[in-house]
Amino acid sequence: MPHEMHEANRRSWNAATVAHNSHKGDQADFFRKGGSTLYDEELTLLGDIAGMDLLHLQCNAGQDSLSLATLGARVTGVDISDEAIGFASRLSDESGIPARFEREDLFEWFERAAGDGRTFDRVFASYGTICWLSNIDTWARGISSVLRPGGRFVLVEFHPYAMVFNEQWQPHYDYFRSEPIRESGVGDYVAESGDGLALEGYQAGVENFVNPHPCFEFYWGIGDVVSALIRAGLTLDRLVEYPYSNGWRGFEGMRALDGKRWRPPETMPSIPLMYGVAASK
């Protein structure tokens, strides 16, 4: 059953990725001019990556991967979406920024990579990746299997507490969920976030996108994530929470901050919207 759900997600992401990239303009030109899609949060946790082999998990269409490559890392990006990996490979060629992109179900990729003896100095994942993992322990063991001794895993993710709310900031979803959640399909969150996720100004692109392919999401609390990494043999070095979200404007009335960050409305108390993890082997 998990394989079938992963395949459903692949189809859904293939459709959504086309809509997402339609809003971002000439991305190759953005990178040729020295642009980057990274935030200080992930850069601080990653540290200096120049000269390192870096694995980017669930790399989507490669924008963050290429941004990491410009910092001197030798980057390999992995994603389940054919459309995302195809776009990432073209973007690498057109921007002149070298990176390697591989399309495969992440769990199958981990098994194959470990069998081939492939290892990395840094393993990285960020922003909306955890919810696509059907098994958090398989994920953590996979990370450990390809991380070199002394290497570091870094995750920056949207906070599971924020996912309790619907778009109107009303408590709606259970924090402690155990069953897969069937959704109508990956939505056009780039359009919903406007300039927050556009590279150099929002482009209209695909309008009123409706995904024809349903998807399945999985809910993991911070305790689930940290415990899985520890069970996989990693040492937790940092766990930090942030009262804003980077890029994503997921709720009504969010206030814009500098650097394409968003906070809840003034009428709400401060709550955690993201968290970061650094763990070492």
Side-chain angles (χ1 to χ4, degrees), residues 218-269:
F218 309 87
Y219 191 86
W220 306 108
I222 290 180
D224 297 320
V225 173
V226 170
S227 296
L229 293 171
I230 292 171
R231 285 193 295 268
L234 302 185
T235 298
L236 182 66
D237 298 317
R238 283 198 69 187
L239 173 60
V240 58
E241 297 172 294
Y242 309 97
Y244 50 79
S245 66
N246 287 342
W248 179 55
R249 184 172 58 184
F251 305 94
E252 287 186 353
M254 294 187 79
R255 294 176 288 156
L257 303 176
D258 291 340
K260 296 186 176 182
R261 292 178 169 87
W262 300 91
R263 295 195 74 156
E266 292 184 359
T267 55
M268 285 188 60

Coordinates of all heavy atoms in Angstrom, one line a residue, residues 218-269:
F218 N 1.3 12.3 5.3 CA 1.5 11.6 6.5 C 1.9 12.6 7.5 O 2.7 13.5 7.2 CB 2.6 10.5 6.3 CG 2.3 9.6 5.1 CD1 2.7 9.9 3.9 CD2 1.6 8.4 5.3 CE1 2.5 9.1 2.8 CE2 1.3 7.6 4.2 CZ 1.8 7.9 2.9
Y219 N 1.5 12.4 8.8 CA 1.7 13.4 9.8 C 2.8 12.9 10.8 O 2.6 11.8 11.3 CB 0.4 13.7 10.5 CG 0.5 14.9 11.4 CD1 0.3 16.2 10.9 CD2 0.9 14.8 12.8 CE1 0.4 17.3 11.7 CE2 1.0 15.9 13.6 CZ 0.8 17.2 13.1 OH 0.9 18.3 13.8
W220 N 3.8 13.7 11.0 CA 4.9 13.4 11.9 C 5.2 14.5 12.8 O 5.5 15.6 12.4 CB 6.2 13.0 11.2 CG 6.0 11.9 10.2 CD1 6.0 12.0 8.8 CD2 5.7 10.5 10.4 NE1 5.7 10.8 8.2 CE2 5.6 9.8 9.2 CE3 5.6 9.7 11.6 CZ2 5.3 8.5 9.1 CZ3 5.3 8.4 11.5 CH2 5.2 7.8 10.3
G221 N 5.0 14.3 14.1 CA 5.4 15.4 15.1 C 6.9 15.5 15.3 O 7.6 14.7 14.8
I222 N 7.3 16.5 16.0 CA 8.7 16.7 16.2 C 9.3 15.6 17.0 O 10.4 15.1 16.7 CB 9.0 18.1 16.9 CG1 8.7 19.2 16.0 CG2 10.4 18.2 17.4 CD1 8.9 20.6 16.6
G223 N 8.6 15.0 17.9 CA 9.0 13.9 18.7 C 9.3 12.7 17.8 O 10.2 11.9 18.0
D224 N 8.4 12.5 16.8 CA 8.6 11.4 15.8 C 9.9 11.5 15.1 O 10.6 10.6 14.9 CB 7.4 11.3 14.9 CG 6.1 11.1 15.5 OD1 6.0 10.2 16.4 OD2 5.1 11.7 15.1
V225 N 10.1 12.7 14.6 CA 11.3 13.0 13.7 C 12.6 12.8 14.5 O 13.5 12.1 14.1 CB 11.2 14.4 13.1 CG1 12.5 14.8 12.4 CG2 10.0 14.5 12.2
V226 N 12.6 13.5 15.7 CA 13.9 13.4 16.5 C 14.1 12.0 17.0 O 15.3 11.5 16.9 CB 13.8 14.4 17.6 CG1 14.9 14.2 18.6 CG2 13.8 15.8 17.1
S227 N 13.1 11.3 17.4 CA 13.3 10.0 17.9 C 13.7 9.0 16.8 O 14.6 8.1 17.1 CB 12.0 9.5 18.6 OG 11.6 10.2 19.7
A228 N 13.2 9.2 15.6 CA 13.6 8.3 14.5 C 15.1 8.5 14.2 O 15.8 7.6 13.9 CB 12.8 8.6 13.3
L229 N 15.6 9.8 14.2 CA 17.0 10.0 13.9 C 17.9 9.4 15.0 O 18.9 8.9 14.7 CB 17.2 11.6 13.8 CG 16.5 12.3 12.6 CD1 16.6 13.8 12.8 CD2 17.1 11.8 11.3
I230 N 17.4 9.5 16.2 CA 18.2 8.9 17.3 C 18.3 7.4 17.2 O 19.3 6.8 17.4 CB 17.7 9.4 18.7 CG1 17.9 10.9 18.9 CG2 18.3 8.6 19.8 CD1 17.2 11.5 20.1
R231 N 17.1 6.8 16.9 CA 17.1 5.4 16.7 C 18.0 4.9 15.6 O 18.5 3.8 15.6 CB 15.6 4.9 16.5 CG 14.7 4.9 17.7 CD 13.4 4.2 17.5 NE 12.6 4.8 16.5 CZ 11.6 5.7 16.7 NH1 11.4 6.1 18.0 NH2 10.9 6.2 15.8
A232 N 18.1 5.8 14.6 CA 19.0 5.5 13.5 C 20.5 5.6 13.7 O 21.3 5.4 12.9 CB 18.6 6.3 12.2
G233 N 20.8 6.1 15.0 CA 22.2 6.2 15.3 C 22.8 7.6 15.2 O 24.0 7.7 15.4
L234 N 22.0 8.6 15.0 CA 22.5 9.9 14.9 C 22.4 10.6 16.2 O 21.6 10.3 17.1 CB 21.7 10.7 13.8 CG 21.7 10.1 12.4 CD1 21.0 11.1 11.4 CD2 23.1 9.9 11.9
T235 N 23.3 11.6 16.4 CA 23.3 12.4 17.6 C 22.6 13.8 17.3 O 23.0 14.5 16.4 CB 24.7 12.7 18.1 OG1 25.3 11.4 18.4 CG2 24.8 13.5 19.3
L236 N 21.7 14.2 18.1 CA 21.0 15.5 17.9 C 21.9 16.6 18.4 O 22.3 16.6 19.6 CB 19.7 15.5 18.7 CG 18.8 16.7 18.6 CD1 18.3 16.9 17.2 CD2 17.7 16.7 19.6
D237 N 22.2 17.5 17.6 CA 23.1 18.6 17.9 C 22.3 19.9 18.2 O 22.6 20.7 19.1 CB 24.1 18.9 16.8 CG 25.0 17.7 16.5 OD1 25.5 17.1 17.5 OD2 25.2 17.4 15.4
R238 N 21.2 20.1 17.4 CA 20.4 21.3 17.6 C 19.0 21.0 17.2 O 18.7 20.3 16.3 CB 20.9 22.5 16.7 CG 22.2 23.2 17.2 CD 22.3 24.5 16.5 NE 21.3 25.5 16.9 CZ 21.2 26.7 16.4 NH1 21.9 27.1 15.4 NH2 20.2 27.5 16.9
L239 N 18.1 21.6 18.0 CA 16.6 21.7 17.7 C 16.2 23.1 18.0 O 16.3 23.5 19.1 CB 15.9 20.7 18.5 CG 14.4 20.7 18.4 CD1 13.9 20.4 17.0 CD2 13.7 19.7 19.4
V240 N 15.7 23.8 16.9 CA 15.3 25.2 17.1 C 14.0 25.4 16.5 O 13.6 24.8 15.5 CB 16.4 26.1 16.5 CG1 16.6 25.8 15.0 CG2 16.1 27.6 16.7
E241 N 13.2 26.3 17.1 CA 11.9 26.7 16.5 C 11.8 28.1 16.1 O 12.5 29.0 16.7 CB 10.8 26.4 17.6 CG 10.7 24.9 18.0 CD 9.8 24.7 19.2 OE1 10.2 25.1 20.3 OE2 8.8 24.0 19.0
Y242 N 11.0 28.4 15.1 CA 11.0 29.8 14.6 C 9.5 30.3 14.6 O 8.6 29.5 14.2 CB 11.5 29.8 13.1 CG 12.8 29.1 13.0 CD1 12.9 27.8 12.5 CD2 14.0 29.8 13.2 CE1 14.2 27.2 12.4 CE2 15.3 29.2 13.1 CZ 15.3 27.9 12.6 OH 16.6 27.3 12.5
P243 N 9.3 31.6 14.9 CA 7.9 32.1 15.0 C 7.4 32.7 13.7 O 6.6 33.6 13.6 CB 8.1 33.2 16.0 CG 9.4 33.7 15.8 CD 10.3 32.5 15.5
Y244 N 8.0 32.2 12.5 CA 7.6 32.7 11.2 C 7.8 31.6 10.2 O 8.4 30.6 10.5 CB 8.5 33.9 10.8 CG 9.9 33.7 11.0 CD1 10.7 33.0 10.1 CD2 10.6 34.2 12.2 CE1 12.1 32.8 10.3 CE2 11.9 34.0 12.4 CZ 12.7 33.3 11.4 OH 14.0 33.1 11.6
S245 N 7.3 31.8 9.0 CA 7.5 30.8 7.9 C 8.3 31.4 6.8 O 8.1 32.6 6.5 CB 6.2 30.2 7.4 OG 5.4 31.2 6.8
N246 N 9.2 30.7 6.2 CA 9.9 31.2 5.1 C 9.2 30.9 3.8 O 8.9 29.8 3.4 CB 11.3 30.5 5.0 CG 12.2 31.0 6.1 OD1 12.0 32.1 6.7 ND2 13.3 30.3 6.4
G247 N 8.8 32.0 3.1 CA 8.3 31.9 1.7 C 6.8 31.6 1.7 O 6.0 32.2 1.1
W248 N 6.4 30.6 2.5 CA 5.0 30.0 2.4 C 4.0 30.9 3.2 O 4.2 31.0 4.4 CB 5.0 28.6 2.9 CG 3.7 27.9 2.9 CD1 2.8 27.8 1.9 CD2 3.0 27.3 4.0 NE1 1.7 27.1 2.2 CE2 1.8 26.8 3.6 CE3 3.4 27.1 5.4 CZ2 0.9 26.1 4.4 CZ3 2.5 26.5 6.2 CH2 1.3 26.0 5.7
R249 N 3.0 31.4 2.5 CA 1.9 32.1 3.2 C 0.7 31.2 3.3 O -0.2 31.3 2.4 CB 1.7 33.4 2.4 CG 0.6 34.3 3.1 CD 0.5 35.6 2.4 NE 0.2 35.5 1.0 CZ 0.1 36.5 0.2 NH1 0.4 37.8 0.6 NH2 -0.2 36.3 -1.1
G250 N 0.7 30.4 4.3 CA -0.3 29.3 4.3 C -1.6 29.6 5.0 O -2.5 28.8 4.9
F251 N -1.7 30.8 5.6 CA -2.9 31.1 6.4 C -3.4 32.5 6.1 O -2.6 33.4 5.7 CB -2.6 30.9 7.9 CG -2.1 29.6 8.2 CD1 -0.7 29.3 8.3 CD2 -2.9 28.5 8.5 CE1 -0.2 28.1 8.6 CE2 -2.4 27.2 8.8 CZ -1.1 27.0 8.9
E252 N -4.6 32.8 6.5 CA -5.2 34.1 6.2 C -4.5 35.2 7.1 O -4.2 34.9 8.2 CB -6.7 34.1 6.5 CG -7.5 33.3 5.5 CD -9.0 33.5 5.7 OE1 -9.4 34.0 6.8 OE2 -9.8 33.0 4.9
G253 N -4.4 36.4 6.5 CA -4.0 37.5 7.3 C -2.5 37.5 7.7 O -2.2 38.3 8.6
M254 N -1.7 36.7 7.1 CA -0.3 36.7 7.6 C 0.4 38.0 7.2 O 0.2 38.6 6.2 CB 0.4 35.5 7.0 CG -0.1 34.1 7.4 SD 0.9 32.7 6.9 CE 2.3 32.8 8.0
R255 N 1.3 38.4 8.1 CA 2.0 39.6 8.0 C 3.4 39.4 7.3 O 4.1 38.5 7.7 CB 2.3 40.3 9.3 CG 1.0 40.8 10.0 CD 1.3 41.3 11.4 NE 1.7 40.3 12.3 CZ 2.5 40.4 13.4 NH1 3.0 41.6 13.7 NH2 2.7 39.4 14.2
A256 N 3.7 40.2 6.3 CA 5.0 40.1 5.6 C 6.1 40.7 6.5 O 6.0 41.7 7.0 CB 4.9 40.8 4.3
L257 N 7.2 39.9 6.6 CA 8.4 40.4 7.2 C 9.5 40.6 6.1 O 9.3 40.1 5.0 CB 8.9 39.4 8.3 CG 8.0 39.0 9.4 CD1 8.6 38.0 10.3 CD2 7.6 40.3 10.2
D258 N 10.6 41.1 6.5 CA 11.7 41.2 5.5 C 12.2 39.8 5.1 O 12.1 38.9 5.9 CB 12.9 42.0 6.2 CG 12.6 43.5 6.4 OD1 11.7 44.0 5.7 OD2 13.3 44.1 7.2
G259 N 12.7 39.7 3.9 CA 13.3 38.5 3.5 C 12.3 37.4 3.1 O 12.6 36.2 3.2
K260 N 11.1 37.8 2.7 CA 10.1 36.8 2.2 C 9.7 35.9 3.4 O 9.5 34.7 3.2 CB 10.5 36.0 1.0 CG 10.7 36.9 -0.2 CD 11.0 36.1 -1.5 CE 11.1 37.0 -2.7 NZ 11.4 36.2 -3.9
R261 N 9.5 36.4 4.6 CA 9.1 35.7 5.7 C 7.7 36.1 6.1 O 7.3 37.3 5.9 CB 10.1 35.8 6.9 CG 11.4 35.2 6.7 CD 12.3 35.4 7.9 NE 13.5 34.6 7.8 CZ 14.6 35.0 7.1 NH1 14.7 36.1 6.5 NH2 15.7 34.2 7.1
W262 N 6.9 35.3 6.8 CA 5.6 35.6 7.1 C 5.3 35.2 8.6 O 5.8 34.2 9.1 CB 4.6 34.8 6.2 CG 4.8 35.1 4.8 CD1 5.6 34.5 3.9 CD2 4.1 36.2 4.1 NE1 5.5 35.1 2.7 CE2 4.6 36.1 2.7 CE3 3.2 37.1 4.4 CZ2 4.1 37.0 1.8 CZ3 2.7 38.0 3.4 CH2 3.2 37.9 2.1
R263 N 4.5 36.1 9.3 CA 4.1 35.8 10.7 C 2.6 35.8 10.7 O 1.9 36.3 9.8 CB 4.7 36.9 11.6 CG 6.2 37.0 11.7 CD 6.6 37.8 12.9 NE 6.4 37.0 14.1 CZ 7.0 37.3 15.2 NH1 8.0 38.2 15.3 NH2 6.8 36.6 16.3
P264 N 2.0 35.3 11.8 CA 0.6 35.3 12.0 C 0.1 36.7 12.1 O 0.8 37.7 12.3 CB 0.4 34.5 13.3 CG 1.6 33.7 13.4 CD 2.7 34.5 12.9
P265 N -1.2 36.9 12.0 CA -1.8 38.2 12.2 C -1.5 38.8 13.6 O -1.2 38.1 14.5 CB -3.3 38.0 12.0 CG -3.4 36.7 11.3 CD -2.2 35.9 11.7
E266 N -1.6 40.1 13.7 CA -1.3 40.8 15.0 C -2.3 40.4 16.1 O -2.0 40.5 17.3 CB -1.4 42.3 14.8 CG -0.3 42.9 14.0 CD -0.3 44.4 13.9 OE1 -1.2 45.0 14.5 OE2 0.6 45.0 13.2
T267 N -3.5 39.9 15.7 CA -4.5 39.5 16.7 C -4.2 38.1 17.3 O -4.8 37.7 18.2 CB -5.9 39.4 16.0 OG1 -5.8 38.6 14.8 CG2 -6.3 40.8 15.6
M268 N -3.1 37.4 16.8 CA -2.8 36.1 17.3 C -1.5 36.2 18.1 O -0.7 37.0 17.9 CB -2.6 35.1 16.1 CG -3.9 34.7 15.4 SD -3.5 33.3 14.3 CE -2.8 32.1 15.4
P269 N -1.4 35.3 19.1 CA -0.2 35.2 19.8 C 0.9 34.6 18.9 O 0.6 34.0 17.9 CB -0.5 34.2 21.0 CG -1.6 33.4 20.5 CD -2.4 34.3 19.6

